Amino acid sequence: MCGAVLVNSELHERLVQVIDDKAFVTNAFPMLVDWGIKDEDTLIHSLGCSYWMQLGHHLEFSGVVEVPAPLTYAVKANQDIRSDAVWFDKNTQKPKLVVEFERYSGTKSDQEKLVGKVKNLLLSHRRWKLEPELLVLAYWTSGLKTMPDHKALKDIFAEGFQLSNGDRVEGVNPKQLVLMNFVFQCDQQGLHKLVDVIERS
């Protein structure tokens, strides 16, 4: 259910193994793989955030949704960053993984949304004092159609970007950015089911 390992870390290996285990998602979220869900309002987004929180618990982290990043970096920008999910190490109390979950349907505006999510991941990584080991951009698609520009997303993470107030957010190692494609299929009744999770380079 997941592609080749692209990041060399123990956490990444554990992440790939559990995402490849269909038993986890079938047991925790049968509505995603067995029942099917309508693409209504923010339902798929809500389930995606819950998925990442529960996956963190499954891997013995403390998974939390809608986590505000501390204002420790570029505070003059007054930009509130709330990550879709964060995994905290229960011993050190430090964040180990930060994730954003977003729809991608192949449009230019959707690419811009992913760019915004990557910028949020980078800024939150800085505000967490570079403590997270992995930053995950998880995007969901209906089928396998046009892919987003993964290189552009990685480049932003590596090179950084400029905030609206002129401050610059410095980039970090792009290998820490993990891109996960959640592939749904839609049946004739309009029900979406998760059929694959593919790591993208």
Side-chain angles (χ1 to χ4, degrees), residues 117-163:
K117 289 289 189 176
V118 167
K119 289 180 177 180
N120 283 352
L121 285 169
L122 180 55
L123 182 53
S124 66
H125 189 39
R126 286 288 181 185
R127 288 184 171 175
W128 285 112
K129 300 180 180 178
L130 304 180
E131 289 173 346
E133 187 175 331
L134 296 179
L135 294 302
V136 179
L137 174 62
Y139 63 90
W140 71 269
T141 60
S142 183
L144 288 171
K145 300 178 182 177
T146 303
M147 290 290 98
D149 188 340
H150 298 113
K151 182 180 183 302
L153 299 173
K154 287 275 190 177
D155 286 348
I156 290 170
F157 198 77
E159 298 168 7
F161 65 97
Q162 193 167 354
L163 293 165

Side-chain angles (χ1 to χ4, degrees), residues 29-165:
F29 297 100
M31 66 284 292
L32 284 177
V33 292
D34 291 334
W35 309 349
I37 50 176
K38 293 278 189 179
D39 179 16
E40 296 177 337
D41 198 14
T42 60
L43 178 58
I44 293 180
H45 183 267
S46 296
L47 283 169
C49 295
S50 299
Y51 171 99
W52 281 99
M53 178 187 70
Q54 185 64 27
L55 190 64
H57 293 168
H58 183 69
L59 290 177
E60 300 183 345
F61 293 96
S62 177
V64 186
V65 295
E66 289 290 319
V67 182
L71 292 173
T72 57
Y73 182 92
V75 293
K76 291 181 181 178
N78 197 27
Q79 185 172 347
D80 182 37
I81 301 294
R82 292 184 178 271
S83 302
D84 286 335
V86 177
W87 297 357
F88 292 93
D89 186 292
K90 292 180 181 179
N91 295 319
T92 66
Q93 303 176 22
K94 294 180 179 180
K96 295 292 288 183
L97 180 146
V98 179
V99 63
E100 294 283 359
F101 187 80
E102 186 60 69
R103 172 201 302 262
Y104 181 78
S105 57
T107 66
K108 182 179 179 181
S109 64
D110 280 350
Q111 175 73 25
E112 291 172 353
K113 287 180 182 178
L114 294 187
V115 166
K117 289 289 189 176
V118 167
K119 289 180 177 180
N120 283 352
L121 285 169
L122 180 55
L123 182 53
S124 66
H125 189 39
R126 286 288 181 185
R127 288 184 171 175
W128 285 112
K129 300 180 180 178
L130 304 180
E131 289 173 346
E133 187 175 331
L134 296 179
L135 294 302
V136 179
L137 174 62
Y139 63 90
W140 71 269
T141 60
S142 183
L144 288 171
K145 300 178 182 177
T146 303
M147 290 290 98
D149 188 340
H150 298 113
K151 182 180 183 302
L153 299 173
K154 287 275 190 177
D155 286 348
I156 290 170
F157 198 77
E159 298 168 7
F161 65 97
Q162 193 167 354
L163 293 165
S164 58
N165 69 344

